[in-house]
Amino acid sequence: MLMKRLACLLLALVMTCLAAGCRWQKQAERQDWKEIEEKGILRIGVTECAPFSQKGADGSWSGFDMDLARSVCRQLGLEPEFVELDWSGRVEALNQGEVDCLWSGITARSDLLETLDFTQTYLASRPALVIRWDEVEQYQTAEQLKGKTVAVEAGSAGQSAALACLPDVSVASVGSQKAALEEVQKGLAQGAVVDHLVAQAAVEAHRELTVQTRVELGTEELAVALPHDSDLTGRLNRALSALQEDGTLDTLAEQYGLTGGLISG
């Protein structure tokens, strides 16, 4: 038990230190901004991940991150173009130039810093364990999940948290947080480790699901992901800072019930 708690604490410390470091990007070498400015369009890689990004029946995108992206684009004189990606291949799509950035409940993670850049972080959250409501008494601790299957989004902070804090479970990687939750709904997994805010939205939409709050899984902070050394990173950071200063970020967070998680500075 002590070793598991230490592993979870270490994960939380790594994420916190990373988030602090992301606020000071080194001088960019990639010259992406000129082409983006000339086109007047920012191509944003997204996936369905409520409350950050949701696709309507008409193909339009809504959610906290989508509205924040629109506000940033207005600051930069750009039009946002939301590009739905196979989220399991999101990093490859970004590095191959299919999109200019990833912006859909993205967690700033230390293991991606060699291939990606992150903007300053703007919202704090944490991984959460989602289980079926009728199994809430059965799975109250990490020990009770021993030998069971927990679904996670491949390459996500949820996957890192599950591996660090639930070492005795079988971790099943799927294409998105939405898919991880569907594994639980279908009975293919006993739990799903997803972002706490994603978990909240899922529980509100699907009454058969609940969050098991007794299982500790660390913390995380959200940011925008960009190609390594892109000169777009500084532009986005300045726009995000401006939205913090003029109150836009506070207004959006209040609209989506996320005020308590805002990161300032």
Side-chain angles (χ1 to χ4, degrees), residues 201-217:
V203 168
E204 290 173 5
H206 305 285
R207 296 301 176 90
E208 73 273 23
L209 300 178
T210 189
V211 176
Q212 181 49 274
T213 57
R214 297 189 181 187
V215 178
E216 299 176 12
L217 294 168

Side-chain angles (χ1 to χ4, degrees), residues 185-264:
Q185 290 176 283
K186 295 174 183 177
L188 300 176
Q190 285 66 57
V193 178
V194 298
D195 182 272
H196 156 70
L197 299 170
V198 174
Q200 265 189 338
V203 168
E204 290 173 5
H206 305 285
R207 296 301 176 90
E208 73 273 23
L209 300 178
T210 189
V211 176
Q212 181 49 274
T213 57
R214 297 189 181 187
V215 178
E216 299 176 12
L217 294 168
T219 59
E220 60 187 38
E221 295 190 4
L222 306 187
V224 185
L226 303 101
H228 193 49
D229 286 345
S230 173
D231 63 349
L232 178 61
T233 306
R235 302 270 179 176
L236 294 187
N237 276 335
R238 287 190 287 275
L240 285 168
S241 294
L243 294 175
Q244 286 178 330
E245 292 173 5
D246 69 12
T248 299
L249 197 55
D250 293 281
T251 300
L252 288 176
E254 184 176 359
Q255 179 183 338
Y256 287 95
L258 304 177
T259 302
L262 280 182
I263 298 171
S264 60

